[in-house]
């Protein structure tokens, strides 16, 4: 039997394992069906008995209703008391026939019901005769019938017969219940016993078949266990003709093939290890070059940033040591440039084209870095764009140098113009002024020509001041820096403006919580800046207004500095004029101004490495912010001297 199972294919073994339980289950199903059928028949008969009991109860109740309705009519002679009587009369005979048909198989019960039916008919016949007599107004006989209890004998007989019928029905019910219990126990024993027998047959068959399968598999498993001394297992070849025997022969061939290829794998592993070492060295070198490159390098897949080197994070004002948020670099773009940058790059990605743009990064401390960004699509072999390689170059210094170069060119041009004006206009103005002064000295006070001469002299002096301001704007700034207290300088400028402040009844308030505010700069030039700015504030302030001067230590990047904010409550400057306030000869709201005051202030602050900016809204006043570093860098002072010497040498 064992050899037969060993050589039998596994599919047939499994089929054999299912045949025996299937036959057992079939036999069990037949026996169970017979038990269930018997049990169902018993339940049907039990229901018939219950139904017979209900009909008997209903039948007896209708007989009682006949008696009750009859008595009510006789005693009251009213028709509506006959309603229960007529209702019971209509149903009692029908229910009697139904009950007789229901127990037609039980002779003793059928005989009792037949007898009761005859008694009920006699009972109804007597009652009908008395009812007719009452209707004919002969109530004495009916009342005598009731008082003497003549109908009680029939009623008692009916009750006795129905009692015997109920007893027979209850006896049949008890007998049937006992039989149902026996049939139920037999059915349970059939199901449980047959199931246990089927389970035993199934377990025995599966055990034999599993033993014929698992025993050779266990031998194969123990044979293929490897060790350090024997990494390639020696699989034994089995003489079986089933799938396991075929598997042992295939595994033997595989073992030989593995043994022949293991040497090749070991050699390939050694080569791969060397390649990985070389690749790791190259990758480390590449990462070092990329991270320390003096420009930003980044990679995107579509619009998503997937790599950003150290310098690119510094350009965006982020900490390169922290974990990078892919969206942080995009959020660091200046809000005024962000939408344009995203839109242009999205269009380039959609078209698969290179992209070049200039935008600004806005740091958390307010520092702005201007960058030139180039983004190149990288394509795969099929020509599809897989990513974009980008480069960000910091052009802040270049842009600053270009701005200063343009200003220097304008200064050089203005210097030439100023020299020509000084040569062509100043000497005639001196002559005009001197001649006018002499004429005024020789003219009597009541002479009609004297007011004209005074106007000529006044306008000549005004032209002389304009020429001096032009020369002052075009003149190179030579910074002579030393330390001084900015708060004290503000007090000095306030004293100079006492007279115009008194005319307008205006006040200047200095907000400097912790003086002194020491700064290294050219004191005279800064005094000129403060005087120009504060004088503009006084002129813009309405009568009775106030001006606030606030000083705040403020660093820009790594360079400490000081910010002086001058705020007035005037009418403010319109946005269209605000962008031109630092341009030479531009003036707004000052009919006699030359438009050089703020331009001169910017030149002075540029020479000191500082900055000046205006915040203004119409109707809300104006704030001028002056920022300067606390110390002048020697290199910057040397550059200013070089530029000054160059400008002086070129006239």
């Amino acid at each position: 039997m064992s050899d037969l199972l060993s050589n039998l294919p596994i599919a047939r073994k499994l089929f054999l394992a299912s045949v025996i339980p299937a036959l057992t289950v079939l036999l069990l199903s037949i026996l169970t069906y017979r038990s269930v059928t018997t049990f169902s028949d018993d339940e049907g008969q039990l229901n018939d008995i219950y139904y017979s009991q209900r009909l008997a109860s209903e039948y007896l109740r209708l007989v009682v209703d006949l008696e009750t309705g009859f008595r009510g009519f006789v005693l009251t002679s009213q028709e509506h008391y006959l309603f229960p009587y007529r209702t019971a009369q209509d149903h009692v005979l029908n229910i009697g026939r139904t009950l007789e048909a229901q127990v037609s198989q039980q002779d003793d019960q059928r005989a009792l019901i037949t007898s009761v039916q005859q008694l009920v008919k006699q009972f109804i016949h007597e009652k009908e005769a008395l009812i007719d007599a009452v209707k004919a107004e002969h109530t004495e006989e009916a009342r005598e019938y009731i008082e003497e209890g003549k109908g009680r004998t029939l009623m008692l007989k009916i009750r006795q017969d129905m009692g015997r019928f109920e007893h027979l029905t209850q006896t049949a019910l008890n007998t049937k219940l006992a039989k149902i219990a026996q049939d139920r126990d037999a059915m349970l024993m059939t199901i449980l016993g047959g199931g246990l027998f089927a389970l035993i047959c199934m377990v025995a068959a599966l055990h034999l078949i599993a033993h014929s399968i698992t025993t050779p598999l266990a031998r194969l498993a123990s044979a293929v266990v490897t060790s350090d001394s024997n990494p390639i297992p020696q699989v034994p070849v089995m003489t079986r003709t089933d799938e396991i025997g075929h598997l042992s022969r295939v595994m033997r061939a595989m073992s030989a093939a593995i043994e022949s290829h293991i040497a090749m794998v070991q050699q390939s592993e050694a080569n791969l290890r060397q390649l990985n070492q070389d690749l790791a060295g190259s990758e480390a070198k590449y990462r070092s070059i990329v991270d320390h490159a003096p420009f930003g390098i980044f990679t995107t897949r579509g619009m998503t940033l997937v790599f950003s080197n150290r310098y690119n994070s510094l350009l965006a004002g982020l900490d390169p040591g922290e974990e990078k948020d892919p969206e942080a670099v995009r959020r660091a773009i200046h809000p005024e440039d962000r939408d344009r940058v995203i839109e242009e790059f999205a269009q380039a990605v959609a078209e698969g084209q290179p992209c070049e743009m200039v935008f600004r990064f806005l740091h958390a401390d307010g520092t702005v870095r201007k960058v030139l960004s180039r983004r190149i699509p990288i394509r795969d072999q099929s020509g599809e764009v897989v990513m974009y390689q980008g480069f960000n170059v910091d052009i802040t210094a270049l842009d600053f140098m270009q701005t200063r170069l343009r200003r220097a060119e304008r200064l050089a041009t203005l210097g030439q113009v100023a020299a020509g004006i000084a040569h062509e206009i100043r000497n005639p103005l001196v002559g005009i002024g001197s001649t006018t002064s002499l004429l005024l000295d020789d003219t009597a006070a009541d002479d009609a020509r004297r007011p004209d001469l005074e106007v000529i002299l006044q306008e000549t002096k005004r032209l002389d001041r304009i020429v001096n301001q032009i020369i002052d704007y075009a003149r190179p700034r030579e910074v002579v820096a030393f330390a001084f207290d900015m708060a004290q300088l503000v007090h000095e400028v306030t004293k100079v403006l006492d007279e115009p402040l008194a005319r307008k009844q205006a006040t200047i308030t200095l907000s400097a919580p912790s003086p002194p505010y020491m700064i290294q700069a050219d004191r005279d030039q800064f005094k000129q800046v403060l005087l120009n700015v504060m004088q503009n504030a006084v002129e813009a302030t309405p009568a009775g207004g106030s001006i606030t001067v606030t000083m705040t230590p403020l660093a820009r990047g790594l360079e400490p500095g000081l910010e002086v904010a001058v705020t007035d409550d005037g009418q403010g400057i319109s946005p269209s004029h605000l962008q031109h306030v630092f341009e030479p000869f531009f003036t707004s709201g000052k009919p006699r101004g030359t438009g050089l005051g703020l331009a001169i202030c910017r030149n002075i602050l540029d020479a000191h490495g500082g900055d000046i900016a205006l915040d203004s809204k119409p109707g809300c006043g104006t704030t001028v912010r002056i920022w300067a570093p606390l110390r002048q860098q020697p290199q910057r002072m040397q550059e200013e001297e070089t530029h000054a010497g160059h400008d002086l040498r070129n006239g």
Side-chain angles (χ1 to χ4, degrees):
M1 184 65 179
S2 177
D3 293 339
L4 178 62
L5 286 176
S6 298
N7 295 322
L8 193 66
I10 295 177
R12 294 184 180 180
K13 294 176 185 177
L14 297 178
F15 176 75
L16 182 62
S18 63
V19 169
I20 296 175
L23 294 176
T24 307
V25 169
L26 179 61
L27 179 61
L28 176 63
S29 300
I30 294 173
L31 296 176
T32 303
Y33 176 75
R34 293 184 59 186
S35 299
V36 170
T37 302
T38 302
F39 188 78
S40 298
D41 293 341
D42 292 341
E43 283 187 339
Q45 295 175 7
L46 185 64
N47 289 333
D48 291 341
I49 294 173
Y50 281 137
Y51 184 58
S52 298
Q53 287 181 332
R54 287 197 300 271
L55 289 176
S57 298
E58 180 68 15
Y59 188 77
L60 186 59
R61 183 185 66 79
L62 291 173
V63 172
V64 173
D65 288 346
L66 284 171
E67 179 66 21
T68 302
F70 169 74
R71 285 176 176 273
F73 176 73
V74 171
L75 294 176
T76 61
S77 299
Q78 295 181 10
E79 282 291 333
H80 67 272
Y81 281 101
L82 283 177
F83 179 75
Y85 175 84
R86 295 302 182 191
T87 302
Q89 184 181 5
D90 292 339
H91 291 85
V92 68
L93 297 177
N94 291 332
I95 293 178
R97 287 190 292 272
T98 303
L99 184 59
E100 185 177 3
Q102 185 70 21
V103 298
S104 61
Q105 301 297 326
Q106 289 78 25
D107 295 337
D108 50 354
Q109 294 180 14
R110 181 169 54 80
L112 282 173
I113 290 300
T114 302
S115 175
V116 170
Q117 283 276 77
Q118 293 175 356
L119 292 174
V120 169
K121 290 178 180 179
Q122 181 182 352
F123 184 78
I124 292 172
H125 179 72
E126 292 178 355
K127 297 296 187 293
E128 286 293 331
L130 292 173
I131 289 171
D132 292 339
V134 171
K135 288 181 178 180
E137 298 182 354
H138 300 293
T139 61
E140 294 80 6
E141 184 180 358
R143 290 181 180 273
E144 182 182 355
Y145 181 85
I146 294 174
E147 291 174 357
E148 294 179 359
K150 295 180 179 180
R152 188 174 301 170
T153 304
L154 281 176
M155 191 67 182
L156 182 61
K157 179 62 176 175
I158 291 171
R159 287 181 180 272
Q160 290 176 350
D161 289 347
M162 290 304 296
R164 286 195 296 275
F165 179 82
E166 179 68 23
H167 176 71
L168 292 175
T169 305
Q170 188 63 38
T171 302
L173 176 65
N174 294 336
T175 303
K176 187 58 64 178
L177 287 174
K179 187 174 185 305
I180 286 177
Q182 294 176 357
D183 293 343
R184 182 184 63 234
D185 294 341
M187 182 178 65
L188 292 176
M189 290 300 297
T190 301
I191 294 174
L192 294 177
L196 181 61
F197 178 73
L199 179 63
I200 293 173
C201 293
M202 184 181 298
V203 170
L206 290 176
H207 175 72
L208 291 175
I209 294 172
H211 184 268
S212 68
I213 296 174
T214 57
T215 300
L217 289 178
R219 289 178 57 194
L220 286 177
S222 62
V224 298
V225 174
T226 61
S227 62
D228 295 337
S229 59
N230 184 25
I232 303 175
Q234 298 296 324
V235 181
V237 177
M238 298 182 182
T239 58
R240 300 162 60 103
T241 60
D242 62 350
E243 290 88 343
I244 298 177
H246 179 66
L247 178 63
S248 66
R249 290 186 288 274
V250 171
M251 292 180 65
R252 180 64 179 223
M254 290 176 60
S255 176
I258 292 172
E259 187 174 2
S260 65
H261 291 296
I262 193 68
M264 297 174 59
V265 173
Q266 291 175 347
Q267 182 62 37
S268 298
E269 183 180 0
N271 295 337
L272 182 60
R273 190 181 298 111
Q274 183 62 39
L275 288 175
N276 287 335
Q277 292 177 356
D278 296 340
L279 181 60
S282 299
E283 184 177 358
K285 185 187 299 183
Y286 167 75
R287 286 191 174 274
S288 177
I289 292 173
V290 169
D291 280 340
H292 294 85
F295 51 87
I297 301 175
F298 61 94
T299 304
T300 63
R301 295 190 185 279
M303 297 292 293
T304 304
L305 181 68
V306 296
F307 171 74
S308 177
N309 73 337
R310 178 185 180 85
Y311 192 83
N312 198 54
S313 298
L314 293 174
L315 278 178
L318 306 175
D319 186 356
E322 295 181 355
E323 184 177 354
K324 295 182 176 64
D325 179 7
E327 293 296 323
V329 175
R330 183 173 296 175
R331 289 195 299 268
I333 299 176
H334 198 289
E336 296 178 1
D337 299 340
R338 189 179 302 144
D339 292 341
R340 173 180 59 84
V341 171
I342 295 175
E343 182 179 352
E344 291 182 4
F345 185 46
Q347 182 178 358
V349 170
E351 297 175 355
Q353 297 297 322
C355 180
E356 181 174 323
M357 62 187 74
V358 176
F359 60 88
R360 295 166 294 172
F361 279 123
L362 179 61
H363 295 187
D365 59 0
T367 304
V368 176
R369 309 286 291 193
K370 196 170 187 178
V371 298
L372 170 64
S373 181
R374 290 190 177 93
R375 308 176 186 201
I376 304 170
I378 306 299
R379 304 179 184 273
D380 57 12
Q381 294 180 353
S382 63
E384 295 292 331
V385 176
V386 295
M387 64 179 181
Y388 267 77
Q389 187 65 53
F391 306 92
N392 286 338
V393 181
D394 187 0
I395 61 172
T396 306
L398 178 61
D399 186 67
F400 178 72
M401 291 174 63
Q402 289 177 345
T403 302
R404 294 192 61 181
L405 179 60
R406 288 194 295 269
R407 290 180 184 172
E409 291 175 352
R410 289 199 301 269
L411 286 174
T413 303
L414 286 173
Q416 295 175 2
V417 173
I421 291 173
H423 179 72
E424 298 294 338
I425 297 178
R426 179 171 282 176
N427 290 336
L429 285 177
V430 171
I432 294 171
S434 300
T435 303
T436 305
S437 297
L438 292 174
L439 289 173
L440 280 173
D441 293 339
D442 294 337
T443 303
D446 56 352
D447 194 327
R449 294 172 296 177
R450 188 175 180 85
D452 296 333
L453 293 174
E454 289 177 351
V455 171
I456 293 172
L457 183 60
Q458 183 180 356
E459 293 300 317
T460 302
K461 290 180 179 179
R462 190 172 71 85
L463 286 174
D464 186 62
R465 286 197 304 271
I466 293 173
V467 170
N468 289 333
Q469 285 185 350
I470 294 173
I471 294 174
D472 188 38
Y473 173 72
R475 184 177 60 206
R477 300 291 168 186
E478 183 177 353
V479 178
V480 180
F482 62 92
F484 64 91
D485 183 6
M486 182 65 76
Q488 182 180 358
L489 184 61
V490 172
H491 282 296
E492 292 181 12
V493 175
T494 304
K495 289 293 184 183
V496 175
L497 297 174
D498 280 345
E499 192 272 332
L501 286 171
R503 282 201 312 269
K504 285 199 170 187
Q505 297 180 351
T507 59
I508 294 181
T509 303
L510 174 62
S511 176
S514 56
Y517 290 88
M518 302 304 296
I519 184 171
Q520 185 188 52
D522 192 313
R523 193 175 190 276
D524 293 337
Q525 294 187 25
F526 260 82
K527 185 174 183 179
Q528 183 179 359
V529 171
L530 291 175
L531 185 59
N532 285 342
V533 172
M534 293 174 68
Q535 187 172 3
N536 287 343
V538 172
E539 293 175 355
T541 300
S546 62
I547 300 169
T548 303
V549 181
T550 305
M551 283 186 286
T552 307
L554 179 64
R556 290 194 176 179
L558 300 177
E559 188 169 19
L562 176 66
E563 182 183 82
V564 181
V566 180
T567 303
D568 63 62
D569 54 1
Q571 293 299 318
I573 304 172
S574 65
S576 60
H577 290 169
L578 189 61
Q579 56 185 340
H580 301 294
V581 293
F582 293 108
E583 295 179 2
F585 307 111
F586 179 83
T587 181
S588 175
K590 295 172 62 178
R592 299 184 62 85
T594 61
L596 291 172
L598 290 179
I600 292 173
C601 293
R602 167 168 276 185
N603 284 349
I604 293 173
L605 288 168
D606 284 346
H608 285 78
D611 189 19
I612 182 171
L614 265 73
D615 298 330
S616 183
K617 290 183 179 179
C620 298
T622 302
T623 298
V624 181
R625 302 185 186 278
I626 302 168
W627 183 87
L630 295 183
R631 296 183 60 83
Q632 292 297 308
Q633 301 295 332
Q635 181 180 2
R636 180 162 56 232
M637 295 175 65
Q638 183 178 359
E639 290 177 355
E640 293 298 332
E641 293 174 0
T642 302
H643 291 318
H646 174 76
D647 294 336
L648 290 173
R649 286 192 297 273
N650 289 277

Coordinates of all heavy atoms in Angstrom, one line a residue, residues 226 305 383 388 392 611:
T226 N 22.5 23.8 4.3 CA 23.9 24.1 4.0 C 24.6 24.5 5.3 O 24.0 24.7 6.4 CB 23.9 25.3 3.1 OG1 23.3 26.5 3.7 CG2 23.2 25.0 1.8
L305 N 11.2 70.5 -6.2 CA 12.6 70.5 -5.9 C 13.0 69.2 -5.2 O 12.4 68.8 -4.2 CB 12.9 71.7 -5.0 CG 14.4 71.9 -4.6 CD1 15.2 72.3 -5.8 CD2 14.5 73.0 -3.5
G383 N 14.2 60.9 -25.3 CA 13.9 62.3 -25.5 C 13.0 62.9 -24.5 O 12.7 64.1 -24.6
Y388 N 15.1 68.7 -14.4 CA 15.7 70.0 -14.7 C 16.9 70.2 -13.8 O 16.8 70.1 -12.6 CB 14.7 71.1 -14.6 CG 14.0 71.5 -15.9 CD1 12.9 70.7 -16.3 CD2 14.3 72.6 -16.6 CE1 12.2 71.0 -17.5 CE2 13.6 72.9 -17.8 CZ 12.6 72.1 -18.2 OH 11.9 72.4 -19.4
N392 N 21.9 78.7 -9.7 CA 21.6 80.1 -9.3 C 22.9 80.8 -9.0 O 23.7 80.3 -8.1 CB 20.8 80.0 -8.0 CG 19.3 79.6 -8.3 OD1 18.9 79.8 -9.4 ND2 18.6 79.1 -7.3
D611 N 22.0 103.1 3.3 CA 20.8 103.0 2.5 C 19.8 104.0 3.0 O 19.8 104.3 4.2 CB 20.2 101.6 2.4 CG 19.1 101.5 1.4 OD1 19.1 102.3 0.4 OD2 18.3 100.6 1.5

